[in-house]
Amino acid sequence: MGQTSGRQERSKKPEVAPREVMEAEIEIQNNKDETKEVKAKNQKLTSVFGLADLKNEAIGLYNLGQSCCLNSLLQVFLMNIRFTRILRRITVPSSPAQRRSSVPYQMLLLLEKMQCGKCKAVGPTELACCLSEHRVELFVQHDAAQLFLTLWNLLKKQMKKPELVEELCDLYTICIQEHVACQKCSFEVKSKSTMLTLPLPVLDANSHRLKTLEDSLQYFFRPEELTGQNMCFCQQCGRKTTFLQSMKLVHLPQTLTLHLKRFCFERSSRTHKLSHSLPFPQELDLRQVLTESQCQAEDSEKATWQYELFAVVAHSGSASCGHYCAYIRSLTDCKWYCFNDSEVCQVSWDDVKCTYGHSNLYWRETAYLLFYMKKHPQQPWPGVSECL
């Protein structure tokens, strides 16, 4: 920073005129001021890119007006240490306008604000205004599954470093292989696709209630026969025939997101909520849930399909009027917390189980999004080895 320019060798001790002494003192003071300014900038960057994850206090988010859905999802993102480690390495936009419209950057600033402040809650105003520039409406009721997809797509699109985009995909995306086979001949079409969430039904095709999360997973991956109006054209048969459609798991991410399809459409085009009980486990081993025919993965891949529940986004109320909150297990102290906008409190597993649902209590909280995190006993993440 120019501190070495014009310096004299100390051992020579030359005689210096008074004016030169004054100029030297001014230069030294300027260098000191410059050093202080650099240190201050470095400290500010450190607070954004490093120290934020070291504080264990849970901070709430003020409701800006029907922003409970956004608040709940932001808490799930920012309480995930694996996600914040990606977020801290983003490229900071160069201009003020770019920074205002950058969702990753505004989310990073919110993380700093939450972790470095002394308030029990902060307002996500700047991030909300940023999202409005990307056609995410404010002051309206959002669907948590749709808003989660929107936020993730914006994060992926605006992260400039390819390696961060790849890490973000590895953290959240599910790889599926779809099989469509003609039942008249051996013709079969295979195609791979990625999904952010698994949209799990809570009712079967006959509107019977599925009893557990494991039942929903098995039903989602069950083969389905395409008959009648759903028949497909077979290139070998030269006509429409009955096909068997099935999906198989190829790869699961570090954070597995399950979407319980609690909202369904009636014939009257009205949406209603399915509030019946659907228990979900704290620990989920997909190898024990799915059959061999429902998987298309190597044994080394399937060996990592052991998960532990990390967060639950729950909805209370009806399909047209409701409220969201998030139950999250801290990766630093392994305790469950309820994030209800600005209010944050420690809860028990029994409190989380209250989100299973109840047939006769339509306004009660029911789990809508489930976030499971991979267990890595051989290579634990720093700071969370005791939890996972």
Side-chain angles (χ1 to χ4, degrees), residues 318-336:
S318 65
S320 58
C321 179
H323 178 72
Y324 286 100
C325 70
Y327 294 86
I328 305 174
R329 186 174 59 87
S330 170
L331 297 181
T332 54
D333 62 15
C334 305
K335 297 176 182 178
W336 282 97

Side-chain angles (χ1 to χ4, degrees), residues 123-137:
T125 309
E126 291 79 7
L127 177 57
C129 292
C130 171
L131 291 171
S132 68
E133 293 186 20
H134 300 283
R135 299 181 180 180
V136 178
E137 294 185 71

Side-chain angles (χ1 to χ4, degrees), residues 176-195:
I176 301 289
Q177 187 174 72
E178 184 178 358
H179 293 244
V180 183
C182 175
Q183 298 300 282
K184 299 293 183 182
C185 65
S186 59
F187 180 73
E188 183 179 24
V189 177
K190 299 179 183 179
S191 60
K192 284 187 179 181
S193 61
T194 57
M195 310 172 71

